[in-house]
Amino acid sequence: MRSFVHTAGPSRVIFGAGTLDRVREEAERLGGSRVMLLSGGSRALRKDTERLRGVLGELVTAEFAGAAMHTPVEVTEQALRLLRDRSVDCLVAIGGGSTTGLAKALAVRTDLPQVIVPTTYAGSEVTPVLGETVDGRKTTRSSPAILPETVVYDVELTLGLPVPATVTSGINALAHAVEALYAPDATPVTDAMAVEAVTAIGRALPALHDDPTDAEARAELLQAAWLAGMCLGAVGMGLHHKLCHTLGGAFGLPHAETHTVVLPHAMAYNAPAAPEAMERIAHALDVPDAPAGVFDLIHRVGGPTSLRELGLDESDLDRAAELATAQPYPNPRELTRTGLAGLLRGAWQGRRPEGPPDLRPLTEEVVASFAGCENPRLRQLLTDLARTLHAYTIRNDLTPREWQSAIDFLTEAGHITTDTRQEFILLSDTLGVSSVVDALTNSRTPDTTSSAILGPFYVAGPPAAEHGSDIAGDLTGTPLWADIRVTDREGAPVPGAVVDVWQSNEEGFYDVQLPDLDGPVLRARFTTDEDGRFTFWSILPSEYPIPDDGPVGRMLSAVGRHPYRAPHVHFLIDAPGHQPLITQLFVRGGAYLDGAPGQRDAVFGVKDDLITDFVPRTGPTPDGRPVEGEWRLLEFTFHIARIGE
């Protein structure tokens, strides 16, 4: 069971196109009458800032356009003096993460409410986290007072964001979602938001690289950034964010660009310790390997791929590794200075993280080779089989030696198979595939007796037997009288049904396993009478091991599983106008009906409604046959479906 604690921040989110016009309403809702308008002063945002100033009107009491990257405390102190001088009662910030950071830094010092208008995909606007730089060192703290009260997302404000900034800001958001998936305090809610964010970012960034004016892709990316930011605010971040804070605060590297370069390398470092998270990311991006897939995404959309191009000197790598390991912090993989030095060198060189090659073209070529198949069902089965086998091989990084072992296993299974020994059915049974096929079949015919697997010991054409005959021959065991009926789903008798019966002896062997026996024993074919009924004598079946002297037996032994089946009798019912039924009846109270997984029936064939009483009796028998001591009574009615039901 997964245990977790989830805390959701109380911020209000306004999302849409043209929502900038609602900022004044939101400021006044928070009690603002003397607003301080914060921005970074960039020329690119000048028109949007002027629009916002016009929306706020006379509420604007002070304006500060000096927001700086990494939120230096000296800049915060300048803005704080202006804030106090003008008696500001509300903060409104427009821009990227730097402007949001300044608003947070002021809010945590004054407890003033904030309205944030993001123009990038940073995501920090929905987090209670503040990163500040003091004397070249970036520190991070978290507090409810830091969380902005209202965030206004206006898709129109992102339409003019240049592609390079779109890419790095989008990858910055991707980093929040990635680290949320392997955070120690992750919850089902953050998992769902993170996966959705990864999927959307992987889809939107290439679309915007190809067409920066694509409003739908802009909206999808902005929504993904919001989700990723929610993850960032709800769980702790790990190695990636620590490294980026170190590189930004100590070496002055640009924030979003640093996130973009470092992310695939931090993922590759953590991948061995977070395989499930990496698998989910790879699936969301539709790539075979998550770290390499993120690197390829960045390369595809023209993002930076090396710390060298961001201006970091090679001589700074060791110091960066030292700073990043100076204090412990949560991370799925142990942090070592040597390991981080290797990570940083790969990021500095811009080296693609090692991962399996992209084999999708090969898979698609194999699938395309089935296009000429005229049988649509066969084409579907072969197509899905090829995709599944390729995916299994890639997912498990199958080695040539392992592949050859599998081939040898199947070859030996073929060699050991005879007319009376079916190793491939044993393999299907012990892997549960036979039971899956059986369950799917039975689910299509409700209100009928459950089906069960055929098993490896069925022999076609057993000898016909009269009602009341003894199919055990001279074999010893507890006598069993079986009184069986076959009806349709409404309970009407089904006359003329052909029913094959077979079972093991009291030592757990079938006749085909006993070469000294003369002819078939404990197997026969009956035909139901007008009442849908037939009777016979046999002996009480016993638990038994499936043949374990071949490759399937060695497989079970290798994984610590036993080869035993619970005691049962097989039935195969075939009636004109009705669907055939293959099933088994299990002896209630018999061995291997219960227990832990791997300790129950070896082929997963037991179903509750097929467990029935083989009632102990003494004295007179139904047909007057003399029996000394105990005998058993089996009474059961099989319900079968008509064809087409």
Side-chain angles (χ1 to χ4, degrees), residues 7-307:
T7 303
S11 32
R12 173 180 168 89
V13 172
I14 313 294
F15 190 99
T19 53
L20 189 70
D21 293 337
R22 298 179 59 177
V23 173
R24 175 169 182 149
E25 171 190 339
E26 293 302 317
E28 290 177 330
R29 192 184 67 83
L30 294 171
S33 61
R34 300 180 62 81
V35 168
M36 184 175 192
L37 179 58
L38 304 172
S39 69
S42 69
R43 297 178 62 182
L45 282 178
R46 186 171 298 169
K47 287 186 178 181
D48 293 329
T49 305
E50 290 175 356
R51 280 186 57 207
L52 179 55
R53 187 185 300 112
V55 168
L56 290 168
E58 73 280 2
L59 293 185
V60 178
T61 300
E63 189 167 351
F64 187 87
M69 188 169 55
H70 304 305
T71 318
V73 291
E74 55 268 25
V75 173
T76 302
E77 289 169 354
Q78 293 175 26
L80 188 60
R81 287 193 291 270
L82 177 61
L83 179 154
R84 287 170 173 161
D85 183 60
R86 302 293 176 86
S87 301
V88 170
D89 62 8
C90 183
L91 302 167
V92 175
I94 182 170
S98 298
T99 311
T100 299
L102 176 59
K104 290 179 171 182
L106 293 171
V108 77
R109 288 166 169 83
T110 63
D111 202 29
L112 291 180
Q114 307 169 68
V115 178
I116 308 296
V117 185
T119 59
T120 68
Y121 308 103
S124 61
E125 63 275 359
V126 287
T127 76
V129 179
L130 170 62
E132 297 180 287
T133 304
V134 183
D135 298 328
R137 184 183 292 270
K138 192 164 186 178
T139 59
T140 302
R141 55 173 159 160
S142 180
S143 167
I146 294 172
L147 180 68
E149 282 72 12
T150 302
V151 181
V152 178
Y153 290 106
D154 189 338
V155 176
E156 293 179 356
L157 298 182
T158 67
L159 293 177
L161 190 65
V163 170
T166 297
V167 168
T168 56
S169 183
I171 298 298
N172 186 11
L174 179 63
H176 306 331
V178 165
E179 291 227 293
L181 283 170
Y182 54 67
D185 50 350
T187 73
V189 175
T190 58
D191 284 353
M193 291 192 297
V195 169
E196 176 60 26
V198 171
T199 303
I201 293 169
R203 190 166 49 223
L205 279 182
L208 290 173
H209 174 266
D210 298 340
D211 180 9
T213 64
D214 186 337
E216 288 301 318
R218 289 284 182 187
E220 182 173 42
L221 185 56
L222 191 59
Q223 183 171 307
W226 166 53
L227 292 174
M230 293 287 286
C231 294
L232 174 66
V235 300
M237 297 287 105
L239 168 64
H240 169 78
H241 283 74
K242 178 64 175 179
L243 272 180
C244 291
H245 287 172
T246 297
L247 293 169
F251 303 98
L253 298 189
H255 180 79
E257 290 84 347
T258 303
H259 275 277
T260 302
V261 170
V262 171
L263 180 58
H265 300 277
M267 291 173 64
Y269 183 90
N270 279 331
E276 182 179 347
M278 296 302 158
E279 184 175 343
R280 298 176 77 174
I281 296 164
H283 180 75
L285 295 175
D286 192 24
V287 296
D289 178 74
V294 169
F295 184 93
D296 292 342
L297 172 64
I298 295 167
H299 187 267
R300 156 77 171 82
V301 296
T305 55
S306 75
L307 293 175

Side-chain angles (χ1 to χ4, degrees), residues 197-448:
V198 171
T199 303
I201 293 169
R203 190 166 49 223
L205 279 182
L208 290 173
H209 174 266
D210 298 340
D211 180 9
T213 64
D214 186 337
E216 288 301 318
R218 289 284 182 187
E220 182 173 42
L221 185 56
L222 191 59
Q223 183 171 307
W226 166 53
L227 292 174
M230 293 287 286
C231 294
L232 174 66
V235 300
M237 297 287 105
L239 168 64
H240 169 78
H241 283 74
K242 178 64 175 179
L243 272 180
C244 291
H245 287 172
T246 297
L247 293 169
F251 303 98
L253 298 189
H255 180 79
E257 290 84 347
T258 303
H259 275 277
T260 302
V261 170
V262 171
L263 180 58
H265 300 277
M267 291 173 64
Y269 183 90
N270 279 331
E276 182 179 347
M278 296 302 158
E279 184 175 343
R280 298 176 77 174
I281 296 164
H283 180 75
L285 295 175
D286 192 24
V287 296
D289 178 74
V294 169
F295 184 93
D296 292 342
L297 172 64
I298 295 167
H299 187 267
R300 156 77 171 82
V301 296
T305 55
S306 75
L307 293 175
R308 176 168 44 191
E309 66 185 286
L310 300 186
L312 184 70
D313 291 335
E314 185 175 9
S315 59
D316 291 328
L317 295 178
D318 286 341
R319 180 165 176 256
E322 179 183 0
L323 291 173
T325 54
Q327 294 182 343
Y329 49 91
N331 192 66
R333 183 179 175 188
E334 181 184 3
L335 301 172
T336 66
R337 183 171 174 179
T338 301
L340 292 196
L343 183 164
L344 288 167
R345 181 158 297 279
W348 186 82
Q349 294 172 340
R351 188 171 60 239
R352 181 182 186 269
E354 293 183 5
D358 187 355
L359 296 174
R360 287 175 294 179
L362 172 61
T363 301
E364 293 308 314
E365 183 178 357
V366 174
V367 167
S369 72
F370 304 135
C373 179
E374 296 181 359
N375 184 324
R377 177 61 173 171
L378 177 60
R379 183 170 61 250
Q380 175 190 344
L381 292 174
L382 289 175
T383 294
D384 196 42
L385 177 64
R387 292 192 190 281
T388 301
L389 288 176
H390 285 214
Y392 174 87
T393 303
I394 294 168
R395 191 166 56 247
N396 291 280
D397 196 16
L398 206 64
T399 67
R401 183 175 181 179
E402 290 167 335
W403 175 84
Q404 186 60 55
S405 294
I407 296 298
D408 293 343
F409 180 96
L410 295 175
T411 301
E412 185 179 355
H415 288 164
I416 203 172
T417 295
T418 66
D419 291 341
T420 58
R421 163 79 176 262
Q422 236 305 351
E423 194 76 2
F424 285 105
I425 291 181
L426 279 180
L427 178 60
S428 174
D429 290 351
T430 54
L431 292 178
V433 178
S434 302
S435 291
V436 170
V437 174
D438 165 63
L440 291 173
T441 300
N442 196 64
S443 68
R444 300 185 185 104
T445 53
D447 303 323
T448 61

Side-chain angles (χ1 to χ4, degrees), residues 551-576:
V552 173
R554 290 198 300 276
M555 179 189 75
L556 294 179
S557 177
V559 297
R561 282 174 53 186
H562 68 76
Y564 279 87
R565 292 226 56 201
H568 60 276
V569 179
H570 292 268
F571 295 85
L572 190 159
I573 304 172
D574 192 5

